[in-house]
Amino acid sequence: QVRLEESGGGSVQAGGSLRLSCEVSTRRIRFDCMGWFRQVPGKEREGVAFAYRTSGTYYADSVKGRFTVSRDITQNTLYLQMNSLKPEDTAMYYCAAGGSDCTVAAGVGSWGQGTQVTVSS
């Protein structure tokens, strides 16, 4: 069974930074698509940032210029560098992995347990 182990969440003030990590439990599988979703109570899970194994990244408009997603293919680890954080970034952040398109929930095959990010004003 493949597990996605997340870390790096926490509480910061507006304008601060956090770096999230997502480690895949096995190096046997190299997902074509990996990325991050976030969710707040009462709302659907929202795609945030994604990185493809071959090339390319995708970002939600709300985080462009502030967040950077990257993958260490050799170590099978995904990262999300979050800078200039805003209170509206507060959410539970979930690592996701799947096939060629995991930018929507239907394309996700594996989910992390979630890590809380809280940004105060």
Side-chain angles (χ1 to χ4, degrees):
Q1 177 169 298
V2 176
R3 300 186 307 277
L4 306 180
E5 302 287 349
E6 298 157 315
S7 62
S11 181
V12 299
Q13 295 190 26
S17 298
L18 286 172
R19 184 173 185 257
L20 306 183
S21 299
C22 173
E23 183 177 356
V24 181
S25 63
T26 177
R27 295 186 177 91
R28 179 176 61 86
I29 298 176
R30 299 290 192 269
F31 293 103
D32 288 338
C33 178
M34 294 189 69
W36 298 90
F37 288 75
R38 64 188 181 186
Q39 187 171 29
V40 298
K43 300 184 69 175
E44 291 189 354
R45 201 163 290 187
E46 173 193 19
V48 176
F50 303 87
Y52 301 98
R53 181 178 60 84
T54 54
S55 64
T57 56
Y58 172 81
Y59 296 92
D61 288 342
S62 59
V63 306
K64 286 180 179 177
R66 300 188 298 118
F67 291 10
T68 302
V69 64
S70 60
R71 290 178 68 174
D72 184 330
I73 301 298
T74 301
Q75 298 299 318
N76 220 0
T77 301
L78 180 74
Y79 303 95
L80 184 66
Q81 178 66 46
M82 304 184 294
N83 297 327
S84 301
L85 283 162
K86 304 175 180 179
E88 51 262 45
D89 295 318
T90 296
M92 184 74 74
Y93 283 71
Y94 296 90
C95 182
S100 59
D101 185 6
C102 67
T103 62
V104 296
V108 175
S110 300
W111 292 97
Q113 77 282 359
T115 184
Q116 180 67 38
V117 171
T118 301
V119 184
S120 60
S121 60

